[in-house]
Amino acid sequence: MKAVILAGGLGSRLSEETTVRPKPMVEIGGKPILWHIMKIYAAHGVEEFVICLGYKGYVVKEFFANYHLHTAEDLSFDLGGGGVEIHRSSTEPWRVTLVDTGEETMTGGRLKRVLPYLGGEDFCFTYGDGLADLDVTALIAYHREQGALATVTAVQPPGRFGALELNSTRVQSFEEKPRGDGVWLNGGFFVLSPEVDRYLEGDHSTWEQEPLRRLTGEGQLASYRHRGFWQAMDTLRDRHQLEQLWESGHAPWRVWA
């Protein structure tokens, strides 16, 4: 199975980082968050990726064009002859297809543009800014069991602030960062049938709007509930939180060896 990853948006809410690179290339622990997402999939045997480029897509192209250099631990340069010898590298056995889907194209339009690269089979689909300790293998199996055209991973992220239960003038209970208000949210990490093509009208199509509403109305959108860790990197604060988790050595999304 292949995984399609959206990597073409402006990332305007993270403008401190995205003036020089697309948001999926913002680093956590010295590696782009895009790499972390790919590692999550690869841990479950998904090692073919189709990446939807747009804003500053050349940054993503450069990263993969020089991936051996980025991941090499020991190497020698022959400055006279122009050669490079890599002695030790941790390069993954991935196949990566980069598709320029346009700077102004919406999410559904980006998906429609890359469908020809997917071989007419079911595929994974996600955003280039979200991390989770998701069991991708179980998600794919669940999608196949449901027989729907699309499956979305539903999440309940924690609230930003501690919750107080009050009684008169005293606090009865305090819970730091509770599980929100019980609402399930779109956590990305979809599994889709190529038949979703008929729900995508063109570059102006926004996946999260009319396509998902139509799939829902026709009973073709299944939900896979993920109760573990999930976090999107929308702001600089989110990036700092993810960086702290990585530096602690206990990043929940690090499901690979």
Side-chain angles (χ1 to χ4, degrees):
M1 184 172 282
K2 298 178 182 178
V4 175
I5 304 176
L6 294 171
L10 295 176
S12 55
R13 285 184 290 179
L14 194 61
S15 59
E16 301 92 341
E17 295 279 354
T18 57
T19 55
V20 295
R21 53 188 169 180
K23 184 161 68 166
M25 294 304 293
V26 174
E27 295 180 349
I28 304 296
K31 294 287 180 63
I33 191 171
L34 175 62
W35 176 88
H36 290 263
I37 296 167
M38 295 168 76
K39 291 289 281 187
I40 293 170
Y41 278 114
H44 292 271
V46 179
E47 296 187 325
E48 290 191 57
F49 300 93
V50 178
I51 300 177
C52 305
L53 304 183
Y55 172 71
K56 296 190 182 296
Y58 65 87
V59 179
V60 184
K61 293 177 181 178
E62 187 281 330
F63 177 74
F64 287 106
N66 295 302
Y67 194 74
H68 281 282
L69 295 181
H70 288 297
T71 58
E73 298 169 23
D74 301 309
L75 66 165
S76 299
F77 291 93
D78 181 351
L79 301 184
V84 179
E85 181 181 359
I86 296 176
H87 305 291
R88 213 157 50 95
S89 175
S90 56
T91 301
E92 294 83 357
W94 299 341
R95 179 175 176 82
V96 183
T97 300
L98 306 177
V99 182
D100 185 351
T101 55
E103 289 203 11
E104 304 298 325
T105 308
M106 306 304 288
T107 51
R110 295 188 191 281
L111 174 57
K112 189 174 184 68
R113 286 203 187 194
V114 303
L115 286 174
Y117 296 92
L118 301 176
E121 300 178 348
D122 287 2
F123 59 95
C124 296
F125 175 56
T126 196
Y127 307 105
D129 63 357
L131 297 173
D133 57 350
L134 178 67
D135 187 339
V136 175
T137 301
L139 168 63
I140 294 170
Y142 180 84
H143 170 76
R144 290 171 173 160
E145 290 169 2
Q146 294 300 306
L149 296 183
T151 298
V152 60
T153 297
V155 298
Q156 287 184 308
R160 285 188 58 186
F161 307 104
L164 303 178
E165 182 180 339
L166 305 179
N167 183 4
S168 184
T169 61
R170 295 291 185 268
V171 175
Q172 295 297 108
S173 69
F174 174 81
E175 184 179 358
E176 177 66 7
K177 296 184 179 179
R179 301 298 299 178
D181 56 6
V183 174
W184 290 91
L185 305 178
N186 168 16
F189 294 100
F190 296 86
V191 183
L192 306 178
S193 161
E195 293 180 49
V196 299
D197 182 33
R198 67 175 184 262
Y199 297 85
L200 307 171
E201 297 183 356
D203 285 357
H204 64 281
S205 177
T206 300
W207 171 247
E208 301 78 15
Q209 296 179 7
E210 187 62 20
L212 284 185
R213 282 198 289 265
R214 284 182 58 199
L215 284 162
T216 300
E218 296 176 15
Q220 290 293 336
L221 182 62
S223 62
Y224 178 83
R225 298 188 182 190
H226 173 64
R227 292 179 169 83
F229 172 85
W230 176 90
Q231 184 172 328
M233 187 180 67
D234 287 328
T235 64
L236 192 61
R237 177 180 179 275
D238 295 332
R239 180 189 178 275
H240 289 160
Q241 287 182 335
L242 292 171
E243 186 72 41
Q244 289 170 1
L245 284 170
W246 184 262
E247 290 179 354
S248 74
H250 301 287
W253 69 89
R254 184 166 185 167
V255 294
W256 59 92

